[in-house]
C-alpha cells in the first residue's frame, strides 16, 4: 500500500489518494518464492507484515533501528541475518535492499522515487507501485493536475506562488486565490504533508492571518483549495493489479480528531443506498489512472446532498 495519492488519509480536508493502510504500503499477490522488500517499517509496514506472514510471503524491511513496529512482528527471510538497518530515504540503503529482494514496495510515499526508478529500469527487481505513481503522489498539486487531465473530479484548486527574495509574492498570491475560491480557504503544502501537518484553514486574508498560515506550513511549496462544506469524510480502498485491473472494498466513514484518524465506521451508515456504488466508481476511476500494483486509499467527502466530492 502506499499512503499518498489523492491525499493523505489523516488530512482534515481530504482530497486525494494514498497508498497503504494509509501511507504507501503495497500488497501484491505473488508466489511465496519471491521476497518483498519494504521501504519503511512503521505502523503501516506492520499492517502489511501481518497478512504477508499469513500468506508465507517473505518480507525484508528497511528502516532505522532493530525494533521498528514492522520489524517486531516478522522475522527476516531465510538466509538473511536481519532486516536492513538504515533510513528508507537513503540511496545506499535502498540499493542494498534492492540487491536482496525480488520486489520493492513502500510503506509511505516520502522516499527517493528517482532511486526506485533507477532500480526499476535496471530490470532485476519489480517496483510497485511504479515510481511514476509515487512521484505523482508526492506532490499534491501535481497529483490534482494529473487527475484533472484524466477527467477525475477533484476540488477546485489554484497554485500559490512563492519567492525567496520577495515575501510579498506569496501574500498576493494567497489573496488572489481567496478572491477566486472564497473563504474559508484551504492552504495546503504540496509535499511532505500528512496527519494534518500540511493543511491550514485560512479565514481572513490580512497580513497577520496569512503570516500565521505560513508559519505553520513552513517554507514548503503551497497550493490553495476551495473549502468543501462536507457532512462527513469517507474512504475507499482500491486494489490495482500490475496489468491495470481494479477492484474496491465498500466505503467507510473516517472520523478524525486533531487531524489524526481515530475511528473507522464500516459499513457506511449515511448517504443512501447508492452512495456505496458512486464512491467506489469515483475511487476506481482515480486508481485506474495510475501505474503499477498496489492497494490505494482514496479519500473523499460525503456532502450534505449525498454527493461524493473532494478528491
Amino acid at each position: 500500500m502506499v499512503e499518498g495519492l489523492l491525499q493523505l488519509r489523516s488530512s482534515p480536508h481530504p482530497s486525494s489518494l494514498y497508498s497503504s493502510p494509509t501511507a504507501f504500503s503495497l500488497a501484491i499477490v505473488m508466489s511465496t518464492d519471491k521476497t518483498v522488500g519494504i521501504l519503511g517499517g512503521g505502523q503501516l509496514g506492520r499492517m502489511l507484515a501481518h497478512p504477508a506472514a499469513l500468506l508465507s510471503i517473505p518480507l525484508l524491511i528497511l528502516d532505522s533501528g532493530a525494533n521498528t513496529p514492522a520489524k517486531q512482528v516478522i522475522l527476516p527471510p531465510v538466509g538473511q541475518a536481519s532486516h536492513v538497518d538504515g533510513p528508507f530515504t537513503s540511496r545506499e540503503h535502498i540499493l542494498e535492499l534492492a540487491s536482496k529482494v525480488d520486489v520493492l514496495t513502500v510503506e509511505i510515499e516520502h522516499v527517493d522515487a528517482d532511486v526506485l526508478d533507477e532500480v526499476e529500469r535496471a530490470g532485476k527487481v519489480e517496483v510497485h507501485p511504479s515510481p511514476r505513481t509515487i512521484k505523482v503522489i508526492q506532490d499534491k498539486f501535481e497529483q490534482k493536475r494529473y487527475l484533472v487531465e484524466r477527467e477525475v473530479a477533484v476540488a477546485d484548486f489554484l497554485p500559490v506562488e512563492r519567492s525567496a527574495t520577495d515575501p510579498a509574492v506569496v501574500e498576493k498570491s494567497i489573496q488572489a486565490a481567496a478572491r477566486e475560491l472564497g473563504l474559508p480557504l484551504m492552504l495546503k503544502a504540496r509535499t511532505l504533508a500528512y496527519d494534518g501537518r500540511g493543511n491550514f484553514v485560512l479565514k481572513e486574508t490580512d497580513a497577520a492571518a496569512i503570516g500565521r498560515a505560513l508559519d505553520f506550513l513552513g517554507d514548503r511549496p503551497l497550493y490553495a483549495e476551495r473549502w468543501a462544506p462536507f457532512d462527513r469524510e469517507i474512504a475507499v480502498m482500491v486494489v490495482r493489479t500490475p496489468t491495470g485491473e481494479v477492484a474496491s472494498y465498500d466505503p467507510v466513514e473516517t472520523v478524525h480528531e486533531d487531524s489524526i484518524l481515530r475511528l473507522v465506521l464500516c459499513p457506511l451508515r449515511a448517504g443512501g443506498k447508492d452512495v456505496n456504488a458512486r464512491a467506489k466508481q469515483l475511487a476506481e476511476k482515480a486508481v485506474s489512472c495510475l501505474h503499477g500494483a498496489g492497494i490505494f486509499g482514496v479519500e473523499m467527502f460525503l456532502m450534505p446532498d449525498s454527493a461524493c466530492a473532494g478528491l
Side-chain angles (χ1 to χ4, degrees):
M1 301 168 165
V2 179
E3 181 180 21
L5 187 40
L6 290 174
Q7 206 131 316
L8 297 187
R9 167 196 69 186
S10 41
S11 161
H13 199 263
S15 63
S16 63
L17 295 178
Y18 59 84
S19 202
S20 129
T22 187
F24 269 80
S25 284
L26 164 65
I28 311 170
V29 178
M30 60 182 62
S31 62
T32 57
D33 61 344
K34 291 186 177 181
T35 297
V36 180
I38 306 176
L39 275 63
Q43 61 177 341
L44 303 173
R46 184 178 179 121
M47 292 180 191
L48 178 57
H50 280 292
L54 293 175
L55 294 169
S56 298
I57 296 174
L59 294 185
L60 192 62
I61 298 165
L62 166 60
D63 210 338
S64 297
N67 294 302
T68 67
K71 292 179 181 180
Q72 292 172 5
V73 298
I74 193 164
L75 294 172
V78 174
Q80 299 292 335
S82 65
H83 292 290
V84 181
D85 186 1
F88 57 77
T89 55
S90 160
R91 170 186 170 81
E92 175 187 353
H93 290 92
I94 293 172
L95 294 178
E96 178 187 351
L97 179 66
S99 71
K100 299 177 178 179
V101 301
D102 303 290
V103 180
L104 273 183
T105 187
V106 298
E107 174 195 41
I108 193 167
E109 78 269 25
H110 307 310
V111 298
D112 191 329
D114 289 332
V115 178
L116 292 178
D117 186 57
E118 179 184 335
V119 170
E120 184 179 59
R121 289 177 183 276
K124 297 180 180 180
V125 177
E126 297 177 48
V127 181
H128 292 286
S130 165
R132 287 182 290 168
T133 291
I134 295 173
K135 289 179 180 180
V136 168
I137 295 174
Q138 286 178 330
D139 186 324
K140 305 308 177 205
F141 179 75
E142 292 301 327
Q143 175 191 126
K144 294 269 191 184
R145 296 207 303 187
Y146 182 91
L147 293 170
V148 168
E149 289 170 358
R150 289 153 181 81
E151 300 182 343
V152 178
V154 302
D156 294 337
F157 65 101
L158 289 170
V160 171
E161 297 181 26
R162 303 195 81 158
S163 169
T165 58
D166 186 358
V169 169
V170 66
E171 182 176 321
K172 292 178 181 178
S173 184
I174 291 172
Q175 290 169 340
R179 286 193 295 271
E180 183 166 342
L181 299 176
L183 292 174
L185 179 72
M186 282 299 302
L187 284 180
K188 293 188 170 184
R190 292 171 55 163
T191 59
L192 300 174
Y194 57 97
D195 291 352
R197 300 173 192 180
N199 302 323
F200 190 94
V201 181
L202 187 70
K203 298 180 179 179
E204 300 174 330
T205 56
D206 58 88
I210 292 175
R212 289 191 293 272
L214 297 178
D215 287 343
F216 178 80
L217 294 169
D219 60 359
R220 291 172 288 179
L222 306 176
Y223 71 102
E225 186 175 280
R226 188 186 299 278
W227 177 260
F230 61 94
D231 180 61
R232 62 196 69 206
E233 299 173 46
I234 62 177
V236 180
M237 301 304 295
V238 182
V239 179
R240 189 183 194 282
T241 71
T243 52
E245 293 87 357
V246 295
S248 62
Y249 293 90
D250 285 341
V252 298
E253 178 181 352
T254 57
V255 181
H256 301 81
E257 294 179 8
D258 299 324
S259 301
I260 303 295
L261 180 66
R262 299 297 184 187
L263 185 65
V264 173
L265 300 177
C266 180
L268 184 63
R269 294 170 172 82
K273 62 183 180 181
D274 63 336
V275 166
N276 271 24
R278 287 189 282 110
K280 286 163 65 74
Q281 182 181 32
L282 179 58
E284 289 180 12
K285 183 177 181 180
V287 173
S288 68
C289 298
L290 305 178
H291 301 278
I295 298 178
F296 298 85
V298 182
E299 297 181 312
M300 61 191 79
F301 295 122
L302 184 61
M303 306 301 285
D305 63 356
S306 296
C308 297
L311 289 178

